[in-house]
Amino acid sequence: MRANIKDVSQAAGVSIKTVSRVINNERYVRPATRARVEEAMAALGFHPSQAARALAGGRSFQIALVCSNPGPYYLHGLIAGLRGRCAAEGVRLIVHAYEVEADELGADVLTFFRQMGFDGAILTPPIVDNAPVLDELDRAGTPYVRISPGVQRDRSASVAIDNEGAARAMTRRLIALGHRRIGFVVGHRSYAVSNQRLAGYLDALREAGIPLDLNLVEQGWFDFGSGRAAAEALLGLPEPPTAIFASSDDMAAGVLSVAHQRRIRVPEQLSIAGFDDTDLAKLVWPPLTTMRQPIRAMAERAAELLFSGTVEQVVLPSELIERASTAPRWG
Amino acid sequence: MRANIKDVSQAAGVSIKTVSRVINNERYVRPATRARVEEAMAALGFHPSQAARALAGGRSFQIALVCSNPGPYYLHGLIAGLRGRCAAEGVRLIVHAYEVEADELGADVLTFFRQMGFDGAILTPPIVDNAPVLDELDRAGTPYVRISPGVQRDRSASVAIDNEGAARAMTRRLIALGHRRIGFVVGHRSYAVSNQRLAGYLDALREAGIPLDLNLVEQGWFDFGSGRAAAEALLGLPEPPTAIFASSDDMAAGVLSVAHQRRIRVPEQLSIAGFDDTDLAKLVWPPLTTMRQPIRAMAERAAELLFSGTVEQVVLPSELIERASTAPRWG
DNA sequence: TTGAAAGCGTTACCAA
DNA sequence: TTGGTAACGCTTTCAA
């Protein structure tokens, strides 16, 4: 049978409470006593039951990462960014990836939160803007950090980049390269960042006095397939764009693949721009131009805010990466 | 205050035990009683405490996914494959990503397992071959499924592909294309699959009567950077290879980037082959040839084995994808 | 600085 | 088909 705290207390000749003090690194334990207890714990191969600690102490030692079914790089960046800090804090990471289409109302996520009192939560779009979910978290007193919130930004701690500004910068860049007909692939409708990026695009056009041609704006869903579909539509126009700015790298890769099939040389005949959290630019050849959202850094910062209890709206810089042939990001 | 099972039992006018029966969908509850209890639960917004269930019931309703710090596509494939089944089983997924270099002995993972009695575990390389960890799991009676085990394959349920056969097929393909000098980038030393893939490469050479040139074999670490380093070495040889087979797609992408820098046309002047779990082939242009490890399907199958309690060694087919220009995998 | 005892919210066992 | 009551293994409160 697994050793429990009582076994340890007997082996060490102290009370249960004292063992508990050692487990939790509390003060008021004489070094000698502490040593004796630790010895006993090691000898018995004792590891405190998290379930019991959670029940008695009201802490779960778990934080939740709630995200939609995101792309590989986004998910990886999140987990990579959270991993270290969680380990350092002795906390487990519960990954809850939900189906965006199937859970518009966040009901699933609500249930998820109500079952285990998490010590904290990290939310990503689009659930990050779901009021009932935020209400529940507030009600339960669970600290949480939102990544890329779209609404009520000052409601909680959050980490984001300036999506609108970044999209504006990218569009300006394309305009500076001489493009006047710039296609745009909008992101998933349920994500606030999609609108923010679209707004940046529109703003840059306005600023440059380029009239908006609605034929150049296609709806996408952040994935490779919808990028391809959008590219088919855009490149099939009587007067196709000379540049296409996709709201995510996955979609940009889709655009690239269509261009390739159509024997369109990139970037000579068609500039393709992506926007994302990925390292795709380093993998794709010839390269896309990418507006880089530092998702891993955002996750790291989110963990920092969560564990320090700081309620603050952090805005991290994004980064415009010209095509990798001129600005490689090797390593 | 959060409603507990006692509140529900009082509201419904039944005993605690009956509420428990309803929660756990046990038999021997009259439909009318069940309905009354469910009503009370809904009215009180009751959700059973997972901590209490875990403590009393000896089940944690959590399974662990233990992996090293894997690449984005690998991690994504794993989680995507496990997600649905976990949700269906009402079980949470705890992601434990550990540092391979820092945890050679699996001590960290051992602690991880001993703290919470998981209902099950999914292990991936290289910890999948760590005997102490497997022993601990056996001792605790925790069901587990190993993905791509390297040793003691019949020790537990597992899912794998035939790595050696796949690498052999890939090498044969390169030989069939007329290559005689085929570089090989070995995977990370701590992973058994690295040796398996190397064995397949060596076997195909032997079979074709091509003498092994050790200068053509470079050590890599599964990542982009080591792929670049290996390519620098191989392409810097007095007599460089005409094809390079990297044991992972990330490394293959690194090789590709070096080829690009050196103005080597791919695949006309240099064939590049990858081996992985990724969809890189669909993203990279010009394409690599890839031996595809269906990691998501492996994860799905692993979940199936885990939850059904089937102890079986499943071998899934891999797939040779010729360069994407001729065999696109769009969508 | 240490200890005794009362929870925490379930499930499991045994009766009824 | 239902209900008591003892675990489960820890934290917390209050004394000492």
Side-chain angles (χ1 to χ4, degrees):
Chain A
M1 226 17 235
R2 249 181 69 164
N4 62 24
I5 196 171
K6 199 172 167 188
D7 301 328
V8 176
S9 73
Q10 287 173 350
V14 298
S15 74
I16 288 184
K17 175 61 200 174
T18 298
V19 179
S20 173
R21 288 200 178 91
V22 172
I23 293 172
N24 294 290
N25 253 304
E26 287 174 32
R27 287 178 316 177
Y28 304 127
V29 180
R30 233 187 317 167
T33 312
R34 183 180 298 272
R36 199 142 36 85
V37 170
E38 279 168 347
E39 215 168 291
M41 296 201 297
L44 274 66
F46 168 79
H47 290 266
S49 152
Q50 294 299 326
R53 297 184 80 189
L55 180 56
R59 297 183 49 189
S60 66
F61 303 93
Q62 302 189 150
I63 69 165
L65 168 61
V66 183
C67 48
S68 64
N69 35 10
Y73 281 93
Y74 194 84
L75 182 63
H76 184 263
L78 284 174
I79 292 181
L82 296 173
R83 206 175 62 77
R85 189 64 185 259
C86 285
E89 302 280 345
V91 155
R92 249 59 136 310
L93 186 65
I94 315 289
V95 175
H96 182 79
Y98 63 93
E99 205 69 62
V100 175
E101 318 301 339
D103 191 30
E104 288 279 11
L105 302 170
D108 184 29
V109 174
L110 270 181
T111 302
F112 174 68
F113 276 126
R114 284 202 261 246
Q115 296 205 38
M116 179 79 85
F118 291 105
D119 292 353
I122 306 279
L123 307 180
T124 67
I127 212 72
V128 73
D129 292 323
N130 184 299
V133 168
L134 302 185
D135 290 342
E136 167 66 21
L137 254 12
D138 284 334
R139 202 191 53 65
T142 308
Y144 60 96
V145 179
R146 295 189 294 157
I147 291 182
S148 305
V151 299
Q152 302 185 69
R153 303 217 189 173
D154 53 354
R155 172 168 183 166
S156 71
S158 69
V159 185
I161 60 165
D162 175 9
N163 278 282
E164 182 169 341
R168 191 187 302 121
M170 172 67 92
T171 311
R172 277 184 187 149
R173 177 73 193 130
L174 293 171
I175 293 170
L177 287 173
H179 296 286
R180 299 283 294 178
R181 293 185 61 71
I182 302 171
F184 188 82
V185 189
V186 187
H188 195 295
R189 282 211 176 100
S190 300
Y191 292 70
V193 294
S194 298
N195 299 323
Q196 294 163 7
R197 291 172 193 175
L198 176 61
Y201 162 78
L202 295 175
D203 199 39
L205 291 190
R206 192 177 312 117
E207 172 184 275
I210 300 176
L212 173 62
D213 180 350
L214 276 179
N215 292 316
L216 294 181
V217 179
E218 284 289 325
Q219 179 69 51
W221 306 98
F222 277 149
D223 66 312
F224 188 80
S226 66
R228 276 191 59 82
E232 296 283 11
L234 292 171
L235 297 176
L237 288 174
E239 199 182 349
T242 62
I244 297 180
F245 179 11
S247 299
S248 79
D249 270 358
D250 264 347
M251 295 196 297
V255 172
L256 181 63
S257 78
V258 171
H260 177 214
Q261 277 189 323
R262 295 190 172 219
R263 312 262 164 198
I264 295 171
R265 274 178 296 123
V266 178
E268 291 79 6
Q269 298 176 303
L270 177 72
S271 285
I272 301 180
F275 191 125
D276 227 332
D277 337 281
T278 79
D279 283 324
L280 218 58
K282 95 178 174 193
L283 300 176
V284 175
W285 185 68
L288 314 172
T289 300
T290 286
M291 180 58 73
R292 197 153 191 269
Q293 178 179 200
I295 185 63
R296 178 174 175 157
M298 291 171 76
E300 275 169 7
R301 197 60 186 276
E304 191 184 319
L305 292 178
L306 186 67
F307 289 113
S308 70
T310 314
V311 177
E312 190 177 313
Q313 287 75 46
V314 175
V315 177
L316 258 34
S318 56
E319 188 188 357
L320 181 60
I321 303 175
E322 303 285 340
R323 39 205 191 83
S325 54
T326 58
R329 295 184 53 78
W330 313 133
Chain B
M1 224 19 233
R2 248 180 72 163
N4 64 21
I5 196 172
K6 200 172 167 188
D7 301 328
V8 175
S9 74
Q10 287 173 348
V14 298
S15 75
I16 288 183
K17 176 60 200 175
T18 298
V19 178
S20 174
R21 288 199 177 91
V22 172
I23 292 172
N24 293 290
N25 254 305
E26 287 173 31
R27 287 178 317 177
Y28 303 129
V29 180
R30 232 188 317 168
T33 311
R34 183 180 299 272
R36 200 142 37 86
V37 170
E38 280 169 346
E39 216 168 291
M41 295 200 300
L44 274 66
F46 168 78
H47 291 265
S49 152
Q50 294 296 329
R53 299 183 79 188
L55 180 56
R59 297 182 51 190
S60 66
F61 302 93
Q62 302 189 152
I63 70 166
L65 168 62
V66 183
C67 46
S68 63
N69 35 7
Y73 281 92
Y74 194 84
L75 181 63
H76 183 262
L78 284 175
I79 292 181
L82 296 173
R83 206 174 61 79
R85 189 64 185 260
C86 286
E89 303 279 345
V91 154
R92 250 56 137 312
L93 186 66
I94 314 290
V95 176
H96 183 79
Y98 63 94
E99 205 69 60
V100 175
E101 318 300 339
D103 190 28
E104 289 278 10
L105 303 171
D108 184 29
V109 174
L110 270 181
T111 302
F112 174 67
F113 277 126
R114 284 202 260 247
Q115 296 207 39
M116 178 79 85
F118 291 104
D119 293 353
I122 306 279
L123 306 181
T124 67
I127 210 72
V128 73
D129 292 322
N130 184 297
V133 167
L134 302 185
D135 290 342
E136 167 65 21
L137 254 12
D138 284 335
R139 202 192 54 66
T142 308
Y144 60 96
V145 179
R146 294 190 293 158
I147 290 180
S148 305
V151 299
Q152 303 185 69
R153 301 217 190 175
D154 53 355
R155 173 170 183 165
S156 72
S158 69
V159 184
I161 60 166
D162 174 10
N163 278 282
E164 182 169 341
R168 192 187 302 118
M170 172 67 92
T171 311
R172 278 184 186 151
R173 178 72 193 130
L174 293 171
I175 292 170
L177 286 174
H179 295 287
R180 300 281 297 176
R181 293 186 61 72
I182 302 172
F184 188 82
V185 189
V186 186
H188 195 293
R189 282 211 175 100
S190 301
Y191 292 69
V193 295
S194 299
N195 299 323
Q196 295 162 8
R197 291 172 192 174
L198 176 60
Y201 163 77
L202 295 176
D203 199 38
L205 290 189
R206 193 177 312 118
E207 172 185 274
I210 299 176
L212 173 62
D213 180 350
L214 276 178
N215 292 317
L216 294 181
V217 178
E218 283 290 325
Q219 180 69 52
W221 306 99
F222 277 149
D223 67 313
F224 188 81
S226 66
R228 275 189 60 82
E232 297 282 11
L234 291 171
L235 296 176
L237 288 173
E239 198 182 350
T242 62
I244 296 179
F245 178 12
S247 298
S248 79
D249 270 0
D250 264 348
M251 295 196 297
V255 173
L256 181 64
S257 78
V258 172
H260 176 213
Q261 278 188 323
R262 294 190 173 220
R263 311 264 164 197
I264 296 171
R265 274 177 296 125
V266 179
E268 290 79 6
Q269 299 178 304
L270 177 72
S271 284
I272 300 180
F275 192 125
D276 227 332
D277 337 281
T278 78
D279 284 324
L280 219 58
K282 92 178 176 194
L283 300 176
V284 174
W285 184 69
L288 315 172
T289 300
T290 286
M291 180 59 73
R292 198 156 192 266
Q293 178 179 199
I295 186 60
R296 180 175 173 155
M298 292 171 76
E300 277 170 6
R301 198 59 184 278
E304 192 183 317
L305 292 178
L306 186 67
F307 288 113
S308 70
T310 314
V311 177
E312 190 178 314
Q313 286 75 45
V314 175
V315 177
L316 259 31
S318 56
E319 188 189 357
L320 182 60
I321 303 175
E322 303 284 340
R323 42 207 188 80
S325 55
T326 59
R329 295 186 52 78
W330 313 133

